[in-house]
């Protein structure tokens, strides 16, 4: 596992975007797993910049981690009432790159048959050849996607209930500004499972800010537990890169060791 510590959010985002761009350059039809939240916003901005300098997304395929249940683009409804992750992804990244519509996969929050949809989503990921690189944030409660504390570490794409902490975090980050009442927020979501995420060939987790310092230390250096579902990162068998800013890394016991490893690898061209 490579743990990379950068000075600030801007540097963290640049580093993460370069990793994603590197995967696309190496495999132009690669399958990316994408994430929402406030953390990846600048990573996406950096990717758009790299796209403007020539990075081609025309063969890239994407699968998003999660979506609220009961929301999504709805014909005839004002666009600004749509608090879906689909809208977020289009505004923050997809509308600004040359990706093909048919190559974008985001869980359908308005599906009439969520169970069937989840099975279909898993099949589509398999049919694509599997996710080459999964981008992940980390929730305040340690979740990946909406795999809240107590979710099985082998879980697959499913409908889940959101915890109070996630509802509070998302209310403050997204709903408050849109003047939407807490009670009107969706309480369920479709999410890739931890097992689904662990099937990705490579994982790229990003985190910034002091508020993530405790949970990052628990996730990376604490015991593997379903109470912090992202701690399953310690079980992943492929390539893992964690990119943190100094604040998010500030509670890591072994931060100096991670810095040393990065320096040594650079020195030896590894
Ligand atoms: P955040 O959310 O990026 O808004 O902090 C991360 C997550 O919940 O995965």
């Amino acid at each position: 596992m490579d743990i990379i510590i950068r000075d600030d959010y801007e540097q963290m985002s640049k580093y993460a975007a370069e990793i994603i761009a590197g995967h696309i350059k190496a495999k132009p039809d690669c399958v990316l797993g994408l994430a929402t939240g406030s953390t990846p916003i600048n990573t996406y901005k950096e990717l758009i910049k790299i796209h403007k300098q020539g990075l081609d997304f025309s063969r890239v395929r994407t699968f998003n981690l999660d979506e609220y249940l009961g929301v999504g683009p709805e014909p005839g409804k004002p666009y600004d009432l749509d608090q879906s992750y689909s809208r977020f992804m289009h505004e923050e990244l997809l509308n600004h790159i040359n990706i093909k519509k048919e190559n974008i996969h985001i869980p359908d929050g308005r599906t009439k048959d969520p169970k069937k949809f989840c099975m279909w989503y898993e099949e589509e990921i398999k049919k694509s050849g599997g996710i080459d690189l999964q981008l992940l944030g980390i929730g305040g409660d340690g979740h990946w996607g909406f795999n809240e504390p107590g979710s099985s570490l082998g879980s697959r794409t499913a409908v889940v209930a959101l915890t109070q902490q996630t509802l509070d975090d998302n209310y403050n980050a997204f709903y408050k500004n849109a003047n939407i009442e807490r009670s009107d927020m969706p309480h369920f979501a479709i999410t890739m499972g931890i097992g689904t995420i662990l099937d990705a060939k490579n994982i790229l987790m990003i985190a910034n800010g002091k508020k993530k310092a405790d949970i990052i230390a628990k996730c990376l250096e604490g015991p593997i537990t379903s109470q912090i579902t992202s701690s399953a990162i310690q079980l992943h068998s492929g390539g893992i890169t964690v990119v943190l800013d100094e604040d998010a890394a500030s509670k890591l016991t072994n931060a100096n060791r991670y810095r040393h490893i990065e320096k040594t690898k650079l020195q030896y061209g590894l």
Side-chain angles (χ1 to χ4, degrees), residues 164 167-168 171-172 176 180-187:
Q164 194 55 50
L167 289 170
D168 290 347
Y171 175 76
N172 291 328
K176 203 151 97 184
I180 293 175
E181 295 294 324
R182 240 168 232 265
S183 51
D184 290 339
M185 283 181 66
H187 284 59

Side-chain angles (χ1 to χ4, degrees), residues 36-40 65-66 85 136-140 143-146 166 169-170 173-174 208 211-212:
T36 50
S38 43
T39 313
L65 270 178
D66 49 11
Y85 282 169
L136 295 156
I138 181 171
H143 69 203
W144 268 349
F146 278 125
T166 297
D169 289 349
N170 288 351
F174 299 109
N208 68 287
K211 65 180 191 308
K212 293 288 170 71

Side-chain angles (χ1 to χ4, degrees), residues 60-72:
V60 171
R61 293 158 294 159
T62 63
F63 285 89
N64 259 80
L65 270 178
D66 49 11
E67 178 62 282
Y68 291 114
L69 203 59
V71 303

